[in-house]
Amino acid sequence: GNYNFNLKVSPSIAITQQLNENSILFGNISHGFSNPTLEELLLPSNKINTNIKPEEGWNFEIGSRGKLINNKINYSIAIFQMNVKNLLVARRIGEDQYVGVNAGKTSYKGVELSVNYNILKNNAIRIFQNHNLSFNNYRFKDFVDFDKDYSGNKLPGVPSFTYNSSLNI
């Protein structure tokens, strides 16, 4: 089969403002899209699903990055919201059989915080810790699949909270 998607343009605009010698404020607005994979496009009959559309969304983000305590601590904090339409999800249609479907509109809201602490830094060795924390509120805004309404539900498989930490030598 042969199938094409319409041309997509993805603009992006970003600004940064130096607050002082150790910190900046940033913001950005950007558009993005993702075409369906071959697995999402193909129906079990090996025909192309011409009803499926690319995922498309707008991201809005504001945050700050900087250094503290004589450059021993580097930080980054960001607040974001991404609005996506036509999220690609898998619909189970049989034993080990799935088809790709578009899930209406979704909303991704969150806060991300990253801190890097330099414990020791010289010519021979560097020891530092990384800490990453995120709070996520990812939800279906408008998704009805057959007779089931998932609107307002959390997106499956996305934790509301994550924390990662590492010690690097």
Side-chain angles (χ1 to χ4, degrees):
N2 188 10
Y3 186 69
N4 293 310
F5 294 106
N6 294 330
L7 176 68
K8 295 282 182 195
V9 177
S10 289
S12 176
I13 186 167
I15 60 170
T16 59
Q17 175 65 47
Q18 188 85 33
L19 298 176
N20 57 46
E21 66 181 26
N22 292 319
S23 62
I24 66 164
L25 186 64
F26 65 87
N28 71 63
I29 299 172
S30 58
H31 177 270
F33 69 94
S34 177
N35 286 324
T37 64
L38 182 61
E39 290 80 17
E40 291 166 327
L41 274 174
L42 285 180
L43 296 169
S45 62
N46 287 330
K47 293 187 179 184
I48 294 175
N49 180 358
T50 57
N51 293 325
I52 202 163
K53 299 173 186 157
E55 294 177 326
E56 192 171 346
W58 284 93
N59 184 59
F60 307 90
E61 182 176 21
I62 189 167
S64 178
R65 285 189 290 270
K67 301 173 186 176
L68 303 168
I69 310 173
N70 296 325
N71 297 332
K72 286 186 101 37
I73 297 176
N74 297 314
Y75 72 89
S76 175
I77 185 167
I79 299 168
F80 67 89
Q81 178 169 337
M82 184 167 49
N83 301 317
V84 177
K85 67 179 183 179
N86 299 319
L87 178 71
L88 294 165
V89 296
R91 177 191 295 148
R92 185 179 182 148
I93 59 168
E95 186 70 29
D96 293 328
Q97 283 189 320
Y98 298 88
V99 294
V101 296
N102 292 113
K105 296 178 182 176
T106 54
S107 172
Y108 301 78
K109 295 177 184 176
V111 177
E112 297 175 338
L113 174 63
S114 174
V115 176
N116 174 308
Y117 176 64
N118 289 304
I119 299 169
L120 175 65
K121 184 177 180 180
N122 62 36
N123 291 336
I125 191 167
R126 181 175 178 216
I127 302 173
F128 62 97
Q129 290 180 310
N130 286 319
H131 301 277
N132 299 294
L133 175 65
S134 68
F135 297 97
N136 307 307
N137 185 10
Y138 296 3
R139 295 187 177 273
F140 292 113
K141 284 176 70 176
D142 179 23
F143 179 34
V144 178
D145 190 31
F146 294 122
D147 60 343
K148 293 188 179 179
D149 188 352
Y150 298 102
S151 302
N153 289 0
K154 289 184 175 185
L155 266 66
V158 180
S160 298
F161 163 83
T162 59
Y163 175 73
N164 297 299
S165 180
S166 65
L167 175 64
N168 301 276
I169 302 173

